[in-house]
Structure formats: C-alpha cells, structure tokens
Amino acid sequence: MAELTGLQKQYILHWGEMGTRWGINRTVAQIHALLYLSPCALPAEEIAETLSVARSNVSTSIRELETWGIVRAVHVLGDRREHYESMKDVWEMFRLVIEQRKRREIDPTREVLRRCLAELDAKEPGSDYTRERLEAMAGFFEAVTELYDQMKRLPTGTVRKLLRMGTKVRKKAS
Amino acid sequence: MAELTGLQKQYILHWGEMGTRWGINRTVAQIHALLYLSPCALPAEEIAETLSVARSNVSTSIRELETWGIVRAVHVLGDRREHYESMKDVWEMFRLVIEQRKRREIDPTREVLRRCLAELDAKEPGSDYTRERLEAMAGFFEAVTELYDQMKRLPTGTVRKLLRMGTKVRKKAS
DNA sequence: CATTACTTTCAGTACAAACAGAATATACAG
DNA sequence: CTGTATATTCTGTTTGTACTGAAAGTAATG
C-alpha cells in the first residue's frame, strides 16, 4: 500500500465527500477508506504521507475512528509503531455507526420531545395544535426506535436473507 | 405564531442542531421546525423576525425546503406576500428526504463502486484484495438500495402496521 | 538514565459555509 | 407609467471547523 492506484484514489476521495455530506469529517472518512482497502494494517506515518495530511491530523482522526469501533490498533513484530486496521465486515461497520448515531442524535431528540410534551401538559394545557404536532413527531421517533430495536435482535446475516426472500416473493407474485 | 413559547423555542433550537449533525443547514432546519409547529402559513418576513435571521437568509433556506418538497408557498387572500407552510405528515416528510438523499448520495456511490470494479477488470486484473473489498462494499449498497425499493412499494401506513405486528408477535413469544 | 522513536496535545492559521445587508429584480396598485 | 411592496441575487464579512507545525508527552532501547 505504498502508492495509491488511480482507482483507490477515486474511492478514497469519493468516500471523503460522502462523509462530509453526512456530517463526518473528510479526513476521517478518507483514512477509513484507505484502511478499508489496505490488505494490511498501516502506521500513522504512512497514512499521513499517502493522503498528504499532517501526522497530527491522522492521530486525531484515527482516534475518532477508534471511538466508533471500526478501526483498531494492532502491533507488528519488530516495529514499535502502532499499525491501524479497519474492520472489514461492511454490515457490522454500518451497524456500529448507526447504533452510535442513534444514541447521539435520535435518543436525545426523543428526550426533547418527551420533555416538551410533559411541559406542555404542565404549563400550557390549552395549546392543542403544538401538542398535536409534537405528538406526531414523537410518534415517528418512537416508531423508528422500535424498528431499530427489532432489527438489532435479528442475528447477523438475517437482514440479507430476508432481503433475498423478499425479492423472490415479489418476483413470483408478478 | 407571533411570539414563540419557551417550548417552541426549545424544539426549534434542537431541530436546528440535529440538522447540522446530519449535514443540513441550521437555519434551514430551524425554519422547517417553525413552520412545522405553526398552525398557519407564515410570510418570510415573519419567519426572519421570529428566528432573528436576515430576510435574505430566509429566502434561500425556504427555497431549499421547497426543493425537498416539504415546504410550499400558499397565498392568503388580501395579502400580496407569499406564505409558507410545512407538510405535516411526518412519515411522508422523512420519506421525501430519504428518497432525495438516496438519489444524491447513495446512488452516486453505487455508481463509483461499479465504475471502480469495471476499471479493475480492465486495467488491473491482478489486484484481488482491492476487488474483494470493493465488492463487499458494493454488495452492501446494492442491498440497501434493494431494501429501500421494497419499502417504497409498501403503501403508506404499512410500515407502521408491520411495526405493531412485530411488537405483538415478539411479546407473545416471550 | 539518556537517547531515540513515536504519539498526542496545543495554539495559531486557513478555509469553506453561512450569513447580513445592499443592490437588483419582479410584480402589483393606483 | 410611477411608486411601492415583496422577493431574489450578489458581495463582503463572520464564524466555526479542519488542519498544520511545533511543543510536550510517553514509552521503548541500549
């Protein structure tokens, strides 16, 4: 993984852009893409060179990826440096990311909605319209959470199987 | 909707923050929150005042919300100004947003992955590892797309019903 | 325990997105 | 046609995030 092929470059750059669109730092996403494509774990130094970013920037970004749980440090015999490798199971990676974004964004939103509704009862029992809207929104978030919980219970791979089943059934019916 | 209650303020501010985390402009999200809570359509002027942002900023943001299809202009008799109102069906709103983000981000990513794999065949038939990784990622995106398409076929409300069913079944089983 | 290899933290800088306000355009009323 | 109300576009400024390079920190080696 010394030099990038044009193809790898293309993938890494695109992944970086996608990241930014979903509120993920470009460098973080690029590093992830690089590690994902790399057959072996890479030291920070090499990542910095390959992507032309500061060594320190790599350090911070790696740490973020580690908190997501999709990158980890491994040791290579005869080398004092940390080497970093990405998880390779795509489904599991996305599961991790989704789980954490849910915790950080969906759950707090549910909290706010609940608190709003409670306050509404206490202080402004009259404002029916606001209540109606907040309840609709709260219902949505509860449902999404429910959906998520049900998915989580399914063992790995089941989603994929269900998907295949669904496709077949629909094809038969048509 | 002249003055905001503390509660409405809370919701609007939170919604703004959530927006930024998902790559949506804070003002855009706030305006959406305001219109969503408002029982009647509001003129741009009033939105600007209520949220303390520049009139021009409202203009741009509204336009973005219009392109998403979740806000539209309506006319009020005896008033030359445009009044804006938000869609109220939460499920439909999210459906619209998801559909468009898929178009703008998921689909292009699938494109890139396909192109990469094609190029890989043409130019570098040897690089097995890269191919393996790209194929795994491509497979994931295809599956997500498939899942999305299947969901889309379901008539409105079915997701909600399925959800309730799922809950019941699981409760019985336990 | 001093030196070297490596990593993280910190402080300032650069950059891109968001924004305000002015300028311009459009549409309506008299 | 003129003046007024409203909407949009444009330009410069602000703001916040990402980033760099230097400094400090940590740990292994001889």
Side-chain angles (χ1 to χ4, degrees):
Chain A
M1 194 39 70
E3 274 304 303
L4 293 175
T5 68
L7 217 133
Q8 292 166 331
K9 234 177 266 176
Q10 193 179 356
Y11 175 74
I12 290 168
L13 290 174
H14 180 81
W15 205 240
E17 292 314 308
M18 283 309 103
T20 59
R21 299 228 194 183
W22 290 83
I24 288 161
N25 178 290
R26 175 179 286 115
T27 307
V28 171
Q30 286 183 351
I31 292 179
H32 173 256
L34 173 61
L35 293 178
Y36 177 72
L37 289 185
S38 173
C40 54
L42 301 177
E45 177 70 26
E46 191 173 338
I47 298 174
E49 276 171 21
T50 311
L51 299 177
S52 311
V53 295
R55 175 67 185 75
S56 56
N57 196 2
V58 173
S59 184
T60 328
S61 302
I62 288 280
R63 203 120 81 80
E64 169 130 17
L65 287 166
E66 282 178 330
T67 71
W68 287 104
I70 61 181
V71 159
R72 59 171 190 168
V74 295
H75 289 277
V76 172
L77 282 179
D79 196 332
R80 280 168 54 185
R81 299 172 300 175
E82 304 262 20
H83 287 59
Y84 301 96
E85 71 177 13
S86 164
M87 176 178 282
K88 305 296 184 183
D89 181 334
V90 184
W91 289 82
E92 178 60 10
M93 266 178 356
F94 278 92
R95 202 191 59 72
L96 281 169
V97 171
I98 286 169
E99 179 178 320
Q100 289 175 75
R101 294 205 75 156
K102 174 179 172 297
R103 247 210 306 282
R104 297 181 202 180
E105 287 128 28
I106 311 293
D107 292 350
T109 301
R110 284 168 68 207
E111 256 327 295
V112 168
L113 287 168
R114 280 215 211 86
R115 205 167 50 242
C116 280
L117 283 167
E119 265 186 57
L120 204 58
D121 282 332
K123 299 188 194 161
E124 309 164 30
S127 47
D128 283 347
Y129 192 80
T130 305
R131 157 164 284 284
E132 197 182 305
R133 296 272 62 77
L134 287 178
E135 259 169 6
M137 189 59 79
F140 177 78
F141 275 87
E142 295 302 328
V144 167
T145 301
E146 180 65 30
L147 190 61
Y148 171 78
D149 286 341
Q150 292 194 19
M151 283 240 162
K152 207 170 50 181
R153 282 161 204 270
L154 299 174
T156 311
T158 307
V159 178
R160 268 163 288 187
K161 276 174 217 152
L162 277 174
L163 215 47
R164 278 199 298 277
M165 266 174 51
T167 315
K168 272 183 208 156
V169 171
R170 212 157 18 67
K171 274 183 186 156
K172 245 182 223 171
S174 67
Chain B
M1 193 43 65
E3 273 304 304
L4 293 177
T5 67
L7 217 133
Q8 291 166 333
K9 234 177 264 175
Q10 192 179 358
Y11 176 75
I12 290 168
L13 290 174
H14 181 82
W15 205 240
E17 292 314 308
M18 283 309 101
T20 59
R21 299 229 192 181
W22 290 83
I24 287 160
N25 180 288
R26 174 179 286 116
T27 307
V28 171
Q30 285 183 351
I31 292 178
H32 173 256
L34 173 62
L35 293 178
Y36 177 72
L37 288 185
S38 173
C40 56
L42 301 177
E45 177 70 25
E46 192 174 337
I47 298 173
E49 276 171 21
T50 310
L51 299 178
S52 310
V53 294
R55 176 68 186 72
S56 57
N57 196 1
V58 173
S59 186
T60 329
S61 302
I62 289 279
R63 203 120 79 78
E64 169 131 16
L65 287 166
E66 282 178 330
T67 70
W68 287 102
I70 61 182
V71 160
R72 59 172 190 166
V74 296
H75 289 276
V76 171
L77 282 180
D79 196 331
R80 280 166 55 185
R81 297 172 300 175
E82 304 261 20
H83 289 59
Y84 300 96
E85 69 177 15
S86 164
M87 175 178 285
K88 305 295 183 185
D89 181 334
V90 184
W91 290 81
E92 179 61 11
M93 266 177 358
F94 279 90
R95 201 191 59 72
L96 281 169
V97 171
I98 287 168
E99 178 178 320
Q100 289 175 74
R101 295 205 75 156
K102 174 179 172 297
R103 245 211 306 283
R104 297 181 201 179
E105 287 129 29
I106 310 293
D107 291 351
T109 300
R110 284 168 67 208
E111 256 326 296
V112 167
L113 287 167
R114 281 216 210 86
R115 207 169 48 243
C116 281
L117 283 166
E119 265 186 57
L120 204 57
D121 282 332
K123 298 188 194 160
E124 310 164 30
S127 48
D128 283 346
Y129 192 81
T130 304
R131 155 165 287 284
E132 198 183 303
R133 296 271 63 78
L134 287 177
E135 259 169 5
M137 188 59 79
F140 176 78
F141 275 87
E142 295 302 329
V144 167
T145 301
E146 180 65 32
L147 189 62
Y148 172 78
D149 286 341
Q150 292 194 19
M151 282 241 163
K152 207 170 51 182
R153 281 161 202 269
L154 300 172
T156 309
T158 307
V159 178
R160 267 163 289 186
K161 275 173 218 153
L162 278 175
L163 214 48
R164 277 199 297 277
M165 266 173 52
T167 313
K168 271 181 210 158
V169 171
R170 211 156 20 68
K171 275 184 187 155
K172 242 181 227 174
S174 66

